[in-house]
Amino acid sequence: MATAGGGSAADLGSRGLLRLLCLCVLLAGLCGGNSVERKIYISLNKTAPCVRLLNATHQIGCHSSISGDTGVIHVVEKEEDLQWVLTDGPNPPYMVLLEGTLFTRKVMEKLKGSTSRIAGLAVSLAKPSPAEGFSPSEQCPNDGFGVYSDSYGPEFAHCRNVQWNYLGDGLAYEDFSFPIFLLEDENETNVIKQCYRDHNLSQNGSAPVFPLCAMQLFSHMHAVISTVTCMRRNSIQNTFSINPEIVCDPLSDYNVWSMLKPINTSGTLEPGDKVVVAATQLDSRSFFWNVAPGAESAVASFVTQLAAAEALSKAPDVTALPRNVMFVFFQGETFDYIGSSRMVYDMERGKFPVPLDNIDSFVELRQVALRESLELWMHTDPVSQKNQSVQTQVERLLTTLEQSAAGVPVVLRRLNQSQPLPPSSLQRFLRARNISGVVLADHANAFHNRYYQSVYDTAENINVSYPGQQSPEEDLNFVTDTAKALADVATVLGRALYQLAGGTNSRDTIEADPHTVTRLLYGFLVKANNSWFQSILRQDLRSYLGDGPLQHYIAVSSPTNTTYVVQYALANLTGKVVDFTREQCQDPSKVPNENKDLYEYMWVQGPLSPNGTERFPYCVRSTARLVRALSPAFELGHWGSTEYSTWTESRWKDIRARIFLIASKELELITLAVGFGVLICSLAITYCINAKADVLFIAPREPGSVSF
């Protein structure tokens, strides 16, 4: 019995030792794992990926393998440097660090044709912006989804008459089989270049010596082929899976809209209640995900419309105007008119308070900041004007606009009747009904914007700049020349809307405030997290402001930052501060004579006290509301639609970038062999210890035991 008892104790001892060893290893891993990773990798935290987007027919964008793509870094500062990457370099695949000025279709086609030698691409921002211009969009934006087709103005279809975005190279609509990231931080770019210089530069034409500096990019996309395919897979997952794995989401957000005079939103207007529509777009895009400054392509126009709305709302007799005015800010217009097509769809089906037939006239702002002179061009549709009634209404509209510019340093110019409309939301309304409409733009023919839908369409592109040595608060209130010019445009728009609504007495009193324009420009293009934006938002929306300028990509999680800020800016500029408590503001039904069908109520933070320790919140009552901007294609389940936008965005699990040093293949094999040998030796030693446990681990005898 004593022998048996000793064997059992030995087993227990060996197991205890093994458990202790395992516990020590586990604790060491938990304590040291993160620090080891930090010593090996340098994470790149300020990057923006190119992601995969899909429509009814194909996919565009970029993606990596599921475990990320790794390559040796090679810096390409001039086109001749590509030779090393494409043919000469001995250590493919390469991760190319490309100077921003070389990020062109010509260079990308070379890289795309050598995928066996290219692991991915990191693009640094060009400073200053490329002088020759850069637009990764198409030359004919939203082709096929506007009003012109083989049955309506075929001579204008597919931009046969005017190539609006003549600099567009279509790069953002290509499909790449490797990851592409934008390096947004110059310091991180310099770290990568220093690592390259230290380890990867060849000496006298010879191959560089290991270890080499490498980069790893993670951007694996779940959706493939087209929207039809990914939405079908979503449907199958939702039907048969308890925990469905969604692979793509429709691009969607909310349109912002308001009425000059409140209307009951629980019903629809009577047929005789005519409405003048003032419209513009909120969104933009670039080649990279959620990098969409859109200064000229979007911001200048919607800032101008916000200022016009404020000016018009202050007119003394607006409540007595025969016609109402609706201000609309469309989301998703960059992607085949998502917002405008959804509003038209809802109007036609009685799902929106303003029916399509109630629209009297339509005025739209599209790119109004880059005027080469004091001129703005009035674009109209030549096809609908073949109808004599429409032509008469358009003539009245143009005349009203010209009259509204009297005394303002803005000259409105007419165009030849044979020229079509530029890409605009008005085109979606004309697809449904002949409407007298005009699009105001800074260009007569092709866009003046050399950076249309690119990362370079920033504040500098529309000449927004500030004197040096000013504080952020001083910059916020500094009236720039661009702000003055856009305020003039807003004045013209406000006066024209007043006349179109039937006003006669107070036209000349309507004047946009340059201070409003300059604060809006600063907030949307320079620093969103400023004192004014903070004061006009709800407290829980402060995180939406971020650190720098707002980005205006529509995305799939909505409402986006831009949508919320525009809604609250519109409410504060056109609404009225009412003396409600927080509880009354959040539930106005408790207040006599208040109707939530007529107004929206917002409890905002308010300004800071002089000592900066507390805020003075207040309640704003306005007509500024949100309405869904989701393509009707997804409402109808027509994922292959050619009538409506079908754009979706792929889902992903991990987006990140990092650099590190890699060893040669020979050293990796040696390390693997040595590690395998150590494993075998460890197993053999463990086996021997376990086999001789009864000898190595003898349990002490119990006190007082007697052996016979």
Side-chain angles (χ1 to χ4, degrees):
M1 291 178 62
T3 304
S8 176
D11 288 341
L12 290 172
S14 64
R15 291 173 187 166
L17 179 62
L18 288 171
R19 289 172 181 168
L20 182 61
L21 287 171
C22 290
L23 181 62
C24 290
V25 170
L26 180 61
L27 289 173
L30 290 173
C31 296
N34 287 336
S35 61
V36 171
E37 183 177 357
R38 285 196 297 269
K39 290 176 181 177
I40 296 174
Y41 300 104
I42 298 177
S43 294
L44 305 174
N45 299 315
K46 294 185 178 180
T47 61
C50 160
V51 303
R52 175 170 289 164
L53 301 175
L54 311 97
N55 65 10
T57 57
H58 61 286
Q59 64 186 28
I60 63 172
C62 321
H63 78 114
S64 75
S65 63
I66 194 167
S67 56
D69 290 330
T70 304
V72 175
I73 295 172
H74 188 75
V75 176
V76 176
E77 295 179 327
K78 53 186 182 297
E79 201 165 335
E80 292 75 19
D81 295 338
L82 289 172
Q83 186 71 21
W84 181 270
V85 173
L86 299 177
T87 56
D88 296 348
N91 301 301
Y94 285 96
M95 193 66 70
V96 179
L97 175 53
L98 190 69
E99 289 295 317
T101 51
L102 294 176
F103 188 54
T104 62
R105 188 178 188 90
K106 177 184 175 183
V107 171
M108 291 305 296
E109 284 179 345
K110 290 182 179 180
L111 296 175
K112 192 176 181 180
S114 302
T115 53
S116 62
R117 295 183 59 88
I118 304 297
L121 195 65
V123 182
S124 63
L125 280 171
K127 292 185 178 181
S129 302
E132 66 278 10
F134 172 69
S135 174
S137 185
E138 297 171 314
Q139 291 190 346
C140 189
N142 292 348
D143 186 22
F145 290 86
V147 69
Y148 302 114
S149 65
D150 293 337
S151 59
Y152 187 99
E155 66 273 26
F156 306 128
H158 312 299
C159 297
R160 291 191 182 105
N161 190 274
V162 181
Q163 288 292 332
W164 295 104
N165 184 32
Y166 72 99
L167 285 173
D169 61 12
L171 200 58
Y173 292 85
E174 292 290 323
D175 184 40
F176 296 92
S177 59
F178 49 80
I180 304 176
F181 277 54
L182 175 69
L183 301 174
E184 299 182 275
D185 188 341
E186 192 173 353
N187 292 328
E188 288 188 344
T189 303
N190 291 333
V191 168
I192 299 170
K193 289 183 176 180
Q194 188 60 50
C195 185
Y196 165 78
R197 286 191 291 265
D198 291 344
H199 299 279
N200 295 10
L201 273 179
S202 60
Q203 301 297 327
N204 301 320
S206 60
V209 179
F210 286 93
L212 298 176
C213 190
M215 182 184 292
Q216 189 172 29
L217 301 178
F218 296 84
S219 62
H220 179 66
M221 300 288 127
H222 295 177
V224 294
I225 303 177
S226 68
T227 289
V228 176
T229 301
C230 79
M231 291 300 291
R232 185 175 64 244
R233 291 177 179 176
N234 286 352
S235 179
I236 293 171
Q237 284 281 331
N238 285 323
T239 303
F240 297 105
S241 177
I242 298 175
N243 297 307
E245 283 282 338
I246 304 301
V247 296
C248 69
D249 300 283
L251 294 180
S252 66
D253 195 11
Y254 287 84
N255 296 326
V256 181
W257 68 286
S258 74
M259 302 298 295
L260 184 61
K261 296 185 291 183
I263 62 172
N264 191 331
T265 57
S266 62
T268 56
L269 292 179
E270 295 296 325
D273 296 334
K274 294 299 181 181
V275 173
V276 179
V277 176
T280 190
Q281 78 172 64
L282 284 180
D283 66 304
S284 185
R285 70 164 301 199
S286 74
F287 186 89
F288 301 98
W289 182 76
N290 205 31
V291 180
E296 162 71 337
S297 59
V299 176
S301 299
F302 71 67
V303 162
T304 301
Q305 183 157 299
L306 285 169
E310 178 192 35
L312 181 56
S313 67
K314 292 179 179 178
D317 57 345
V318 289
T319 57
L321 294 176
R323 289 178 284 277
N324 210 336
V325 178
M326 180 170 75
F327 295 95
V328 191
F329 302 79
F330 290 118
Q331 265 287 10
E333 297 301 273
T334 300
F335 294 96
D336 300 338
Y337 305 118
I338 293 174
S340 55
S341 63
R342 179 54 185 265
M343 181 166 281
V344 171
Y345 175 86
D346 288 342
M347 284 179 167
E348 289 180 313
R349 287 156 182 78
K351 296 180 179 180
F352 190 76
V354 179
L356 195 62
D357 290 338
N358 287 64
I359 296 177
D360 176 75
S361 52
F362 195 106
V363 182
E364 181 173 358
L365 296 181
R366 281 272 174 164
Q367 301 193 64
V368 295
L370 290 179
R371 289 175 291 147
E372 295 178 349
S373 61
L374 299 176
E375 297 174 331
L376 271 184
W377 297 90
M378 299 184 290
H379 297 260
T380 58
D381 172 43
V383 180
S384 60
Q385 289 185 72
K386 292 177 181 178
N387 181 304
Q388 186 59 45
S389 174
V390 174
Q391 185 184 26
T392 302
Q393 292 174 336
V394 170
E395 179 62 31
R396 178 178 67 88
L397 177 56
L398 298 179
T399 302
T400 300
L401 282 164
E402 289 169 337
Q403 292 171 350
S404 301
V408 181
V410 175
V411 179
L412 294 176
R413 298 292 189 195
R414 299 194 183 200
L415 286 160
N416 192 303
Q417 285 293 328
S418 62
Q419 182 168 305
L421 285 170
S424 54
S425 305
L426 175 58
Q427 292 201 31
R428 289 302 304 194
F429 283 80
L430 287 171
R431 282 178 73 133
R433 175 177 168 262
N434 277 348
I435 293 174
S436 62
V438 62
V439 176
L440 298 179
D442 58 21
H443 52 89
N445 303 108
F447 297 162
H448 289 168
N449 187 2
R450 293 175 298 144
Y451 306 110
Y452 181 72
Q453 293 182 5
S454 84
V455 295
Y456 303 110
D457 190 9
T458 58
E460 291 77 14
N461 186 34
I462 61 171
N463 304 312
V464 173
S465 60
Y466 302 90
Q469 308 304 318
Q470 283 193 166
S471 68
E473 195 66 24
E474 289 172 327
D475 285 346
L476 171 66
N477 294 291
F478 178 79
V479 180
T480 63
D481 290 340
T482 300
K484 294 174 184 176
L486 292 180
D488 290 336
V489 178
T491 297
V492 173
L493 177 61
R495 292 178 179 181
L497 294 173
Y498 175 79
Q499 284 187 265
L500 291 169
T504 55
N505 300 326
S506 305
R507 188 195 72 179
D508 293 339
T509 65
I510 297 171
E511 187 171 348
D513 186 356
H515 288 89
T516 295
V517 177
T518 207
R519 289 192 296 178
L520 288 167
L521 288 174
Y522 181 82
F524 285 111
L525 295 176
V526 181
K527 186 181 179 182
N529 195 13
N530 61 70
S531 60
W532 187 54
F533 274 11
Q534 290 173 11
S535 69
I536 64 173
L537 290 178
R538 290 198 321 253
Q539 185 175 4
D540 61 306
L541 296 179
R542 278 192 62 178
S543 60
Y544 279 60
L545 296 178
D547 295 325
L550 290 177
Q551 303 300 324
H552 310 295
Y553 174 64
I554 179 176
V556 296
S557 56
S558 55
T560 60
N561 310 33
T562 301
T563 301
Y564 265 135
V565 176
V566 167
Q567 183 197 13
Y568 274 75
L570 182 61
N572 279 267
L573 293 173
T574 62
K576 179 182 179 182
V577 176
V578 290
D579 188 18
F580 289 177
T581 65
R582 180 171 185 168
E583 291 72 24
Q584 290 173 326
C585 192
Q586 293 173 343
D587 186 9
S589 61
K590 296 178 181 178
V591 183
N593 302 321
E594 292 296 331
N595 189 343
K596 202 159 187 179
D597 290 333
L598 294 178
Y599 296 103
E600 281 283 303
Y601 298 82
M602 302 171 178
W603 184 257
V604 300
Q605 288 193 113
L608 278 169
S609 61
N611 59 14
T613 58
E614 61 178 332
R615 290 190 175 274
F616 301 108
Y618 56 88
C619 184
V620 177
R621 183 181 68 190
S622 75
T623 62
R625 301 175 185 271
L626 302 180
V627 63
R628 197 81 171 110
L630 171 68
S631 171
F634 300 101
E635 192 90 354
L636 299 168
H638 297 170
W639 304 324
S641 173
T642 57
E643 170 73 12
Y644 299 111
S645 172
T646 56
W647 285 105
T648 54
E649 179 184 274
S650 175
R651 286 197 178 185
W652 60 81
K653 285 188 177 177
D654 197 15
I655 296 283
R656 57 194 171 100
R658 59 188 185 181
I659 62 173
F660 55 97
L661 297 180
I662 59 169
S664 64
K665 296 295 182 184
E666 293 79 7
L667 182 57
E668 289 178 347
L669 289 173
I670 292 171
T671 305
L672 177 62
V674 171
F676 187 71
V678 171
L679 175 62
I680 297 298
C681 291
S682 301
L683 291 175
I685 292 170
T686 303
Y687 174 78
C688 292
I689 292 174
N690 191 57
K692 299 295 182 179
D694 56 340
V695 177
L696 297 173
F697 306 102
I698 300 175
R701 292 184 178 182
E702 296 179 7
S705 60
V706 180
S707 299
F708 297 94

